[in-house]
Every structure is written in C-alpha cells, then in structure tokens.
Amino acid sequence: MNITGAARSPSSIGWALCLAMAAAVLPARAPAADPVNLEGTWKISAPQLAFRPEGGSIPFTDIGRKRYAQNKSNLAKRAYEEYDYATARCASPGLPRLMLTQGRFRIWQRRGWVGFQFEWNRLAREVDMGNLTQPQLRVAANSLFGQDDVIVGRAVPISKGHWEGDTLVVATEGFQNNTLIDNLVPHGYDLKTTERIRLQGANTLEDRITIEDPRYFTRPWQTVVTYQRQPDDPFPENVCLVTRTTEGAAVKP
Amino acid sequence: MSKRAAHPMRFGWAMLAMAITAPLWAHHSAAGYDLTKTLSAQATLKEFRWGAPHSAAVFTIKGPDGKPEDMTVACGSPAMFVKQGFMPKDFQIGDKMEITWHPAISGHLGGMLASAKVPNGRVFKDVEFAPGLTPSDVLKQADTAK
Amino acid sequence: MNSEIKSIWTGAAVLALLVYAGAAFAQPLGVPPPGAEGSSADGGLPPGGPPGGPNGPPGGGPPGAGGPPSADAAASLLAVPPLPADAPQPSPDPHNFDGTWYHEALLQFQITTDMFGNKAPFNDAGLKVQQRRVKSLKTGTPFINASALCIPMGQPWQMDLNMPFHIFQSKDRLDFAFEEYHGLMQVIMDPAKALPAAYMGSSVGHWDGDTLVVETTSFKDGLWLDVDGTPTSKNAKLTMRIRKVKSDHWFLEVEFTLDDPIYYTHPWSWMRDYSWRPDMTLFHEYNCELQTGAKDGVDPSLVPEPRD
C-alpha cells in the first residue's frame, strides 16, 4: 500500500495506516530455506553451574586435572580474579559457558546467519551459515580486527554452521585462553566445540556440545543442555558491572 | 535527505584527512598521556588484556616505596606485536622485561606502553601513538593495513 | 581555513578519539544497591557463576577509557569500500528495518550545531558542564564517563561511533544490537509494555506514516552526546524519527531531537544516517569488561568528574 502525502480524510488515513502497518510489519521469520525455525526466546531447563559430561567424568590430561584442581581451590577461597574473569570482572564468559546462562536468550534466524542475543549483560553470538555478503569487513582476515581475532582468538568466536536434517550443527574455534568451559573446567587456545542444536517438540531446545582440547582433555567429551521456550518478552537492561555484588562495584569513581 | 558523497570520493577524503592531521591526531589521541615523558622500569608481566576498545597490559614493577606494585598500561594490538616479530600467545605470566611508558598526566600510576625489551634483547616499540609521526608514516601504515 | 578542510581536521581528530572515551560521568553514576537493579533471572550472575552472587575483587576502580586506534585501525575503520554489486538489498517495505546498519560518516567530535546550523541552545548550566569537559581534555585529565566504564552510554553516543548494529524486527518491537559495547536497545511498540528505567532509557515506538518515532525517557543517568561530553541530564527526552531511504544506496535516516530543559533552552535536533551494510553482519568482539571490570582496569589517564 502506498501512503502518499495526498490529502485524505484523517479517519480514513488512520484506518488505512493501521491496516497497512499490520500487513507490512511482518514478524521476522526464519528464512524460508531453513529446514527448522529455532527462533524464539529460550531459558535453560535446569540451572547448573557446570556441564555434566556424558560418561560421568571429564577425561582430563594431567595438565587439565592440575588446572581444574587449582581452579577449585581458588573457588573455595573466592579468589575469582585468579581464574574466572567472568565472575571477577563481568568479562565475557565465552563459549560454551555462555550456553549455561540462567537468563534468557533469543535466537534470530536470518539469511546467511543465526544470531543469539543473551539477556545476561547483553552479550551476543553469531553463527555464520556460509552465504553472507563477502568480505565481512569487521572480521575479514586482512582487517585489523580480523587479524587480532586470528592471533589471540576471542572469548566468543564467530561460529560456522550448517543444517543436517533438522539439526543446526555449529562448529567453533579460535578461542582466547582466558575463559573457562563452565565455572571451573579449563581450556586453552586450541579448544574446539561442536554443537548440535535442535528442537525436541515445539517448546524444548536441545544443545548437544562436544568439547575438544588435546592439551586439557585426553579425548573429546560431550554434554547436553536443554532449554524451555519462553514468551517473546523484551529483556530489561542487564548491566553486570552495576548489578554484581562485589565489595566495591566497578563503577565507583 | 542527507547528501551523500560517492563511495570512492569518501574513501579518498578519509585518507587525505589522516594524512593532513597525523600530528594533530597523534597528540589528540593521547589526551591524557604525557607523550613528552617516558618512564622506565624492570617489570614482570602479569596479564595481557587483548581486545576492544584497545589492548592493555598489567605489569608488576617496584613502586616508589620499593614494594611491588601492579601497573596497567594501554598497549598496541596483537597485530602490532606480530608485525614486530612478537607472538602474543608466546608471552607468559611472569615474563620479565624492561618497559618504558608515557605516564598519565593525572598522576595515577600507569599510562601508555612505549616499549618493552625482552630478555633476549629484542625490543617491542609501541608505535601507535609515537609523537612526530609524519603523514607519510600514517599513509604507509594505512596502506599496509589494507 | 575553509569549512571543508576544517571538517577534515575535525573529522580526523574525532576519528582518533573514536573509541577513546576520555571522559567522565556528567555526575557520579548512582550506584544502585547490589541486587536491586537488573531483572535477569540469574540476578547478574555470569553463566556457571558461583552461588550466592559473584564476588569480584575488592575496589573495582574506575574502568578504562577506550584507547585511540592505530593508524591501521583508523584506516580500516574509515575506509569503507562500496557494497559489492551482488550484495542483497533490504526489503522494499518501508516499515521493515531488519538488517545490519552502519554509520559511515566521519564521527563528529562535538555536536556544536543543530541540523539547521544554529548553535546548540545551551543554558548556563549546560554550558558550564560542556566547558568543564572540553577543558578536561585540554588539561590532559579527561573525565571518566559511561563509555569509559563500559556501561550503556545512550543512543547518540552508541549510534555515532562507527561500528555496525543489527536491527531485529518483530511485530511487537525492534531490537537494536550494537557491536560496540555489545549494546542493546529495545524499542517497544506497545506503551503498556514499556521497559523500566535503564542507562539506555526506556524506548517506545510508533509509526507516523513511514517514519518510526522512537521516544526514549527514563534514563538512569545523564548522557554524553558525543566524545567531547555535550551533556544531557537524566531527565532528558530523546526522540528519534527514523525512516528508510534509498538514494544511491539504502540507509536509515535518523533525526535526533533532545528535549532537556535542565541544560538547554529549547529542544534541538541533529541528523544522522546509517548505511545498509550486510557486509558488516559478523561483528568484532567487544569484551571491554575484561578490562573495565578489573579493579585496576581504570585507564589511569582518567579522573572522576566533579559533581555539580
């Protein structure tokens, strides 16, 4: 409908506008080509601080076991600054830890990519589905930022995704080494994760995560997290630096 | 509706802008640091904080009272380190180096890293905010960034 | 100096301060009681955080300002090539703002005039704050501000810095997700569902023909409109009139109007536009709290701003 500036009676313009707007402002939907629509607002089914490994225990290397023990000892002393910048500073928890958020997140499916918007501290992650406009200037390998990402990694790298039937398969690598897998488990630069994300029924989302880092684990190990669909309500502003309970909040000048 | 320059011209003006104003830029960009002063200390690396908006490093140095004190300095990007042959991932907590920095005008300990000399004698020079950058330096750096 | 060259000088100097916040709060940030603010279910806990709330290091001093970009960074920030010819185009629907948008124009250091070329209508109180901040840059002791702390700094600053943002549009709202500061603004279309007070304020939108009118109030603190610190009070009302335009390229045109009797004699407006850039969809990471959340993370060159 073409709304022009031509003079019309106010009430008919009003109705016309209402109808036009209702029709025009369609809810954003997953691209028609996607096999499944994962869009919506999700929240972890069972809050947990640590991933539960399938098989019962995490297959640590000696280095991994030692670091894990150090982290546990620091946790007991609440010495978060020694090993957990997310807790100590509100730094990005990184992946896959961000998938343990006890807040909500929203999935947006768009042409060429999938976005996750987290309630916690307004963080986000992106999955490159492979047919985006190139070059992607903010992360191009020959851009300053792109170079930095390659050199030292990111807490939340850009993931690469593709569909396998009804499952979104998401591969992530290029991590910095200053985050944790969850609240305690260490990792290094060589961490790689593979997530298989799919719906279980209409209102449950499942993320099956495979974690691989030969320096810290003798073999890849898996864990599963599920989320329940929530109403698509907006997220009230969440600013970790302001809400965290520390002896001295960062914002005191 | 705003007038829009064609893209190539916009690009051109931007490059010209940087060339003309490089000295001004070098000065303004370090509004809170005294680029005419350089302090130095023996330092132990505590942490690199790579990332936006800029990277920083935390060093433990000997404070004025002789006790160890932590000092935070803004530093160059990982790419800048690599350009000078230093691999950021190779730095370890506890590495010893001789550092120089431009102090904060405010008087707070810390500032902007100017150089870091590692035990094997090699020196990293933080050239982002070096005073006296000439326009051709800027253009050359900009060219290599493309 | 003719105005073109002057704007280049200004623009380049501005560019240098692109991410260098270099300044402080309009007034010291009101620190809400721990746990009182924020309404995420986890009460601010990071994922996998400890029970009973995170306990960070004591002190938690003032956060660092953004550092100035290197020549390389400036080059990559400034030098935006034209969109490839085969890049997808946005929906022709004028009411669909979904996509990735980017402020291409050189950052304006200081918004000194309105969109008609009139000087920003400061009253005495506003002028005092503005001059104090400009002076702080000259004395080499710039003030701490929200950007330096890496907490939300309001729409004008968030939308001025040359970094992209996504708009996710659904029938009830528009989510603006910014690369810089991993910022988020949610525009709620039903006033009954407006969000509570926030550092980004509370934004309610309605359509006026093809223009989305976003009215933002309930700011938790005053804002810095620009890197020089042109002030707003927390009582400000910010209106953004946004429309999607196609010239030689698609862009969003935004008319910002500030209504803030605390610092200005009357409301005034300025214009910005944001190019459609699907080639900026994948964002660089902005993990600023890694620095600003550390007790020694304050940029030592910054000082607290005196209270009025």
Side-chain angles (χ1 to χ4, degrees):
Chain A
M1 184 164 189
N2 185 20
I3 313 288
T4 69
R8 292 192 172 83
S9 78
S11 59
S12 68
I13 289 175
W15 275 113
L17 285 170
C18 280
L19 287 170
M21 257 132 253
V25 185
L26 295 172
R29 297 215 180 280
D34 287 353
V36 181
N37 185 354
L38 302 178
E39 289 201 326
T41 305
W42 302 97
K43 189 169 166 180
I44 199 167
S45 308
Q48 58 202 80
L49 302 181
F51 286 114
R52 291 180 200 116
E54 291 198 327
S57 63
I58 295 172
F60 284 116
T61 60
D62 289 342
I63 288 171
R65 191 169 301 111
K66 189 167 165 199
R67 274 280 298 278
Y68 181 75
Q70 274 171 4
N71 293 348
K72 275 187 99 167
S73 143
N74 279 317
L75 170 60
K77 292 184 281 193
R78 303 185 130 173
Y80 300 106
E81 179 57 30
E82 299 306 311
Y83 76 104
D84 182 355
Y85 295 142
T87 303
R89 303 181 188 172
C90 294
S92 172
L95 288 171
R97 189 180 185 186
L98 200 46
M99 299 310 292
L100 286 176
T101 184
Q102 295 180 25
R104 295 169 284 178
F105 61 90
R106 179 90 194 226
I107 294 179
W108 301 100
Q109 272 172 246
R110 292 290 180 268
R111 175 179 41 201
W113 70 293
V114 178
F116 289 63
Q117 176 66 49
F118 293 86
E119 181 166 18
W120 189 82
N121 212 30
R122 302 150 286 119
L123 293 186
R125 67 175 290 200
E126 296 169 319
V127 183
D128 178 0
M129 298 298 285
N131 59 342
L132 278 165
T133 307
Q134 293 297 328
Q136 282 290 315
L137 298 179
R138 305 300 288 168
V139 296
N142 62 350
S143 72
L144 180 77
F145 298 132
Q147 285 173 44
D148 285 350
D149 286 356
V150 168
I151 294 164
V152 293
R154 295 163 54 138
V156 179
I158 306 272
S159 303
K160 287 186 165 40
H162 66 277
W163 289 100
E164 282 180 16
D166 67 351
T167 302
L168 179 64
V169 183
V170 179
T172 314
E173 58 182 56
F175 288 89
Q176 281 208 12
N177 71 343
N178 59 359
T179 59
L180 298 167
I181 297 278
D182 53 24
N183 68 327
L184 280 173
V185 177
H187 74 83
Y189 290 113
D190 297 329
L191 174 66
K192 289 188 178 150
T193 67
T194 307
E195 293 165 81
R196 302 185 69 87
I197 302 174
R198 63 189 187 106
L199 287 176
Q200 283 180 335
N203 296 317
T204 302
L205 188 73
E206 176 191 87
D207 188 359
R208 171 171 291 276
I209 310 171
T210 304
I211 291 160
E212 194 180 332
D213 188 336
R215 183 172 161 84
Y216 290 87
F217 315 113
T218 57
R219 55 167 176 78
W221 53 282
Q222 287 201 11
T223 185
V224 182
V225 191
T226 62
Y227 309 89
Q228 297 305 308
R229 190 182 289 279
Q230 307 292 306
D232 285 328
D233 294 333
F235 301 154
E237 185 176 77
N238 184 292
V239 183
C240 175
L241 285 173
V242 171
T243 58
R244 66 176 174 167
T245 54
T246 63
E247 290 170 60
V251 293
K252 276 211 192 98
Chain B
M1 188 188 301
S2 53
K3 296 273 189 282
R4 306 290 309 171
H7 287 273
M9 182 51 90
R10 186 158 51 229
F11 183 97
W13 278 125
M15 298 307 296
L16 181 61
M18 288 195 326
I20 287 172
T21 59
L24 171 67
W25 171 23
H27 176 71
H28 266 268
S29 68
Y33 301 109
D34 188 347
L35 294 181
T36 66
K37 275 210 192 91
T38 306
L39 305 180
S40 64
Q42 298 292 331
T44 306
L45 177 67
K46 189 166 181 205
E47 184 190 351
F48 268 114
R49 298 169 181 166
W50 304 116
H54 67 88
S55 294
V58 185
F59 292 102
T60 308
I61 63 171
K62 210 184 284 192
D65 56 358
K67 294 211 194 105
E69 200 168 353
D70 286 350
M71 177 179 73
T72 308
V73 288
C75 73
S77 65
M80 174 174 295
F81 279 86
V82 169
K83 280 193 181 90
Q84 297 187 34
F86 293 85
M87 289 307 297
K89 285 186 187 178
D90 290 344
F91 286 112
Q92 304 290 337
I93 293 170
D95 280 354
K96 306 245 183 285
M97 38 191 105
E98 286 173 42
I99 61 170
T100 67
W101 71 97
H102 303 300
I105 292 167
S106 65
H108 296 147
L109 182 66
M112 184 185 298
L113 186 70
S115 72
K117 182 174 173 187
V118 295
N120 68 15
R122 288 175 56 231
V123 180
F124 164 77
K125 272 207 175 74
D126 201 309
V127 297
E128 281 190 55
F129 319 122
L133 261 187
T134 67
S136 63
D137 291 339
V138 175
L139 280 175
K140 214 183 300 170
Q141 286 186 33
D143 270 331
T144 57
K146 274 196 286 226
Chain C
M1 185 184 281
N2 75 37
S3 62
E4 213 165 47
I5 299 292
K6 190 169 176 202
S7 72
I8 290 174
W9 277 84
T10 307
V14 149
L15 195 277
L17 282 163
L18 193 67
V19 291
Y20 186 57
F25 291 120
Q27 50 260 29
L29 188 67
V31 180
E37 298 296 333
S39 49
S40 73
D42 63 6
L45 271 176
N55 290 281
S70 63
D72 311 64
S76 53
L77 285 168
L78 266 183
V80 181
L83 211 51
D86 61 350
Q89 296 295 292
S91 161
D93 177 358
H95 297 147
N96 188 338
F97 291 173
D98 212 273
T100 309
W101 306 92
Y102 173 70
H103 184 214
E104 276 194 59
L106 278 176
L107 177 65
Q108 196 177 8
F109 200 64
Q110 192 179 350
I111 304 172
T112 51
T113 64
D114 70 8
M115 57 196 273
F116 305 109
N118 304 313
K119 284 204 175 126
F122 291 109
N123 58 21
D124 290 341
L127 201 57
K128 181 178 163 201
V129 174
Q130 196 247 3
Q131 287 175 341
R132 173 177 70 206
R133 291 173 179 173
V134 170
K135 182 171 175 223
S136 78
L137 290 173
K138 296 198 168 87
T139 58
T141 49
F143 295 136
I144 297 163
N145 69 357
S147 165
L149 293 172
C150 198
I151 65 176
M153 71 300 304
Q155 286 80 353
W157 183 302
Q158 179 78 87
M159 294 172 72
D160 257 13
L161 277 282
N162 304 88
M163 297 186 211
F165 58 92
H166 299 130
I167 295 180
F168 300 109
Q169 186 163 347
S170 56
K171 75 173 163 55
D172 300 328
R173 67 179 208 255
L174 293 88
D175 289 3
F176 288 59
F178 301 91
E179 177 192 87
E180 196 191 22
Y181 314 114
H182 48 85
L184 182 67
M185 165 176 68
Q186 290 162 105
V187 179
I188 311 303
M189 300 304 284
D190 178 356
K193 298 184 176 162
L195 290 171
Y199 294 104
M200 288 297 276
S202 175
S203 297
V204 173
H206 70 274
W207 289 98
D208 178 9
D210 290 345
T211 299
L212 178 69
V213 183
V214 180
E215 291 166 297
T216 307
T217 54
S218 305
F219 289 99
K220 276 189 173 170
D221 206 348
L223 305 178
W224 284 51
L225 291 182
D226 51 41
V227 298
D228 253 13
T230 305
T232 83
S233 74
K234 61 198 283 190
N235 297 323
K237 177 177 167 182
L238 183 73
T239 303
M240 292 182 285
R241 295 183 62 90
I242 309 176
R243 61 186 193 125
K244 194 165 78 172
V245 181
K246 186 180 199 308
S247 61
D248 64 339
H249 67 294
W250 284 94
F251 59 96
L252 293 178
E253 176 191 76
V254 181
E255 177 190 306
F256 290 85
T257 301
L258 176 67
D259 182 1
D260 189 3
I262 305 275
Y263 289 139
Y264 301 94
T265 57
H266 56 267
W268 58 290
S269 306
W270 64 94
M271 302 290 298
R272 293 287 184 266
D273 57 76
Y274 304 89
S275 302
W276 162 260
R277 296 299 309 211
D279 59 346
M280 295 200 185
T281 295
L282 299 180
F283 285 173
H284 180 55
E285 181 165 64
Y286 214 96
N287 189 7
C288 44
E289 290 92 341
L290 182 67
Q291 300 184 47
T292 69
K295 71 166 163 42
D296 58 347
V298 59
D299 187 311
S301 71
L302 304 181
V303 301
E305 183 170 17
R307 272 180 184 273
D308 280 317

